[in-house]
Amino acid sequence: MVAIDFERAGRGITPVSIWRSITAQGLGGVPPTALVLAGIVSVQVGAALAKQLFSATGAGGAVMLRLVFAGVVLLVFWRSSLRVARGALPVVLGYGAVLALMNLSFYAAIDRIPLGMAVTIEFLGPLTVALAGSRRWIDPVWAMLAGAGVLLLTRADGDVDWVGVLFALAAAVCWAGYILLSAALGERTDGGGGLALAMAFGGVIMLPVGIADAGTALLQPAVLAAGFAVAMLSSVLPYSVELEALRRISPRVFGVLMSLEPAVAAVAGLVVLGQVMNLGQWTGVACVVAASAGATRTEAKD
């Protein structure tokens, strides 16, 4: 089994301290738009790598490895702010549970349908949150555009796995809950301690699922190394660069850039996994990207 050596021979040099130094000294000179795009690419490459793990671990095993490794890294990174008030504990635990369910649903989706399709459908979650309760005249247009995009995605190819589509929709619902819980978590905790605890709790929830799904494959060094890479690419690296970007970029610009995620996912699926989508499906992706970007811009102007 691979051991992660967080401390080196009493010298206090850790991967976390090295990462802190990199983020403090290196990311400051990178344009914030580049940081956001790097985070988006990292997430989708991580998802593509996770899919390649499924043959050894199954979706449940891949989710478990991602959350456990990400939880360990974040716990060490935020060890100085791990104390949370008793009143915040339900939010932390709920956040971790939703995080686990969201990732399990998403990985079950990409096990059955192309990555670009899954991410595009999943993106309906944050788009719904952005449009919910709004009275702007333009918002029904964005909603219809997003709906048309999903119809194009699912109708442009007659051989769609509808179970995979349902899993992607479940991930969208979880993502909406994740956004709402994120706001509550930010209000009740300081620093990243709440996120670290929630991530670790999500990993604990996934332990029995992952062990049942992957079995002894979890003991293979190559599988553990790939799981650690997925955790870094899909969780630790994106959270770090997005946090740095948000210090220097407006939420409106950040939201518009994040709207590119379905398109980046489709490209990652094509390049990394060889998943070819037809013109109708690419048009569907473009519709959802345009709807998300439009809803973000008009929301920010109110």
Side-chain angles (χ1 to χ4, degrees):
M1 212 170 156
V2 173
I4 305 173
D5 183 16
F6 286 114
E7 294 289 343
R8 293 186 184 176
R11 292 180 293 172
I13 300 173
T14 69
V16 173
S17 65
I18 294 171
W19 178 250
R20 279 178 175 162
S21 176
I22 292 172
T23 54
Q25 299 176 18
L27 296 184
V30 180
T33 51
L35 291 176
V36 177
L37 292 174
I40 293 172
V41 172
S42 180
V43 167
Q44 300 311 326
V45 172
L49 177 59
K51 182 176 174 60
Q52 295 176 323
L53 262 179
F54 291 173
S55 59
T57 65
V63 174
M64 187 210 78
L65 288 171
R66 170 182 171 177
L67 293 182
V68 167
F69 279 129
V72 169
V73 172
L74 290 174
L75 283 173
V76 176
F77 192 101
W78 294 106
R79 60 187 179 274
S80 61
S81 59
L82 291 180
R83 291 183 180 179
V84 296
R86 183 175 299 178
L89 194 57
V91 176
V92 171
L93 298 181
Y95 188 92
V98 168
L99 188 65
L101 185 57
M102 178 177 71
N103 282 284
L104 183 60
S105 300
F106 176 66
Y107 278 16
I110 65 174
D111 194 25
R112 294 168 171 83
I113 59 177
L115 177 61
M117 181 184 293
V119 172
T120 304
I121 296 172
E122 186 192 30
F123 222 74
L124 295 179
L127 181 58
T128 300
V129 172
L131 296 177
S134 173
R135 297 180 181 178
R136 295 184 300 266
W137 68 269
I138 193 66
D139 284 337
V141 176
W142 303 134
M144 288 187 290
L145 184 60
V150 172
L151 282 176
L152 282 169
L153 271 172
T154 55
R155 297 293 185 181
D157 185 353
D159 192 24
V160 173
D161 187 324
W162 287 99
V163 174
V165 172
L166 290 175
F167 274 123
L169 288 171
V173 173
C174 291
W175 197 349
Y178 170 87
I179 291 171
L180 299 176
L181 283 169
S182 293
L185 189 71
E187 292 172 359
R188 301 190 187 189
T189 62
D190 296 321
L195 172 63
L197 290 170
M199 187 78 71
F201 180 65
V204 170
I205 291 175
M206 287 304 303
L207 275 174
V209 179
I211 292 171
D213 224 3
T216 57
L218 294 173
L219 302 177
Q220 298 175 14
V223 169
L224 290 169
F228 183 73
V230 168
M232 295 299 292
L233 288 169
S234 298
S235 296
V236 178
L237 178 60
Y239 292 151
S240 299
V241 297
E242 287 169 10
L243 180 64
E244 177 64 26
L246 280 167
R247 294 190 180 114
R248 297 185 278 132
I249 199 172
S250 71
R252 177 183 64 83
V253 175
F254 180 82
V256 171
L257 289 171
M258 288 299 292
S259 300
L260 294 172
E261 195 156 345
V264 175
V267 173
L270 175 64
V271 174
V272 181
L273 300 173
Q275 295 175 336
V276 179
M277 298 198 304
N278 58 40
L279 180 60
Q281 291 171 323
W282 279 102
T283 304
V285 170
C287 287
V288 174
V289 168
S292 177
T296 301
R297 286 182 62 85
T298 53
E299 180 184 34
K301 290 177 181 178
D302 288 353

